[in-house]
Amino acid sequence: MIISHAFKPDIVRCVPARIDPGQLEKDLAYLQGKALSKGACDCAVIKKTDIVFNPDILRRVASDNRLPSVHWPLDYPRDDLNEAIEAYEWAVFFQIAIDPSMPDPGGGPIEQTAHRQKFIKTYEIVTVIESSAFYMGYHLAIGLASGNCRAVFCPEQKRCPATLKGRTCIRPNMGRPAMEAAGIDARAMAAALNWETPAEPAPFLGGLVMIH
């Protein structure tokens, strides 16, 4: 889990020996409200069975190598993110509003500053939810955002620093995988929730935070 140094938690608890279902329900509702208060236009608490995986999305990410990074496409030699997601029961899923004319950069450069700021907002909200959950005792919370984090945070870097031997991510408090890099079809999940989403080719911008 990734914690922002500027983050100030509202609730701090020890990791419980057993998750109380009643408390969990309240905590998930709190995290949902936190996402909405930070700028999400829609947010829902979903079960892991509501997460939609689409191999076509994985193929698109794998073929889009304009700005390869440690998180795009995913290359974790010792870990399987999809297998890790299966270990969770619940997730907080959200989207942010965008201009329907906004182009989808895929994994490549984000040309306009205003569009890049929209991507940054998804990472900020994911980090707040993930960090809040961590301090509430859900220490295994893990969050996914939207877009290639190298294009969002490090477009001026010639290589993703985290892919270079002896170096690490220069934005460890924010850098993380995107839902699409894990093959998650966020647009299909939003449709199942009856959310209004911008029509393709506009991107879906949002995030998913898994809660154990």
Side-chain angles (χ1 to χ4, degrees):
M1 112 108 240
I2 306 166
I3 303 174
S4 168
H5 296 300
F7 180 77
K8 297 292 190 291
D10 298 322
I11 303 171
V12 179
R13 302 194 200 112
C14 294
V15 177
R18 182 184 69 86
I19 300 295
D20 176 79
Q23 186 62 58
L24 174 62
E25 183 177 1
K26 293 177 183 177
D27 290 343
L28 289 170
Y30 169 84
L31 294 171
Q32 180 183 17
K34 178 71 77 172
L36 292 168
S37 73
K38 293 298 180 180
C41 65
D42 294 293
C43 185
V45 174
I46 64 174
K47 295 181 179 180
K48 73 174 180 183
T49 50
D50 297 321
I51 298 173
V52 178
F53 291 94
N54 185 337
D56 289 337
I57 293 176
L58 272 182
R59 283 192 283 270
R60 286 201 297 269
V61 170
S63 65
D64 188 351
N65 61 357
R66 289 170 290 169
L67 289 176
S69 72
V70 70
H71 298 309
W72 187 288
L74 287 182
D75 183 19
Y76 300 164
R78 300 180 182 177
D79 298 292
D80 185 327
L81 183 57
N82 289 31
E83 184 177 304
I85 289 173
E86 282 296 314
Y88 292 78
E89 293 297 327
W90 297 94
V92 178
F93 175 54
F94 72 89
Q95 75 163 330
I96 66 170
I98 65 167
D99 185 327
S101 66
M102 178 176 172
D104 187 349
I110 303 170
E111 301 297 342
Q112 295 189 30
T113 300
H115 294 166
R116 187 177 171 195
Q117 288 300 319
K118 286 290 187 179
F119 278 93
I120 289 173
K121 174 58 73 174
T122 70
Y123 283 80
E124 289 176 343
I125 296 174
V126 168
T127 300
V128 166
I129 300 171
E130 185 188 68
S131 299
S132 296
F134 176 85
Y135 283 109
M136 292 167 74
Y138 305 99
H139 66 294
L140 297 177
I142 182 172
L144 308 174
S146 293
N148 181 355
C149 63
R150 180 180 170 195
V152 176
F153 297 111
C154 309
E156 72 288 347
Q157 299 289 327
K158 292 183 178 179
R159 294 266 308 270
C160 169
T163 64
L164 300 175
K165 186 175 181 179
R167 296 186 62 184
T168 58
C169 177
I170 63 177
R171 292 299 302 272
N173 62 318
M174 297 286 274
R176 62 180 69 251
M179 290 183 286
E180 54 265 44
I184 293 174
D185 193 335
R187 194 179 292 274
M189 290 159 56
L193 293 166
N194 295 315
W195 290 355
E196 290 187 13
T197 58
E200 294 183 284
F204 177 96
L205 295 192
L208 182 76
V209 181
M210 305 300 302
I211 307 294
H212 201 323

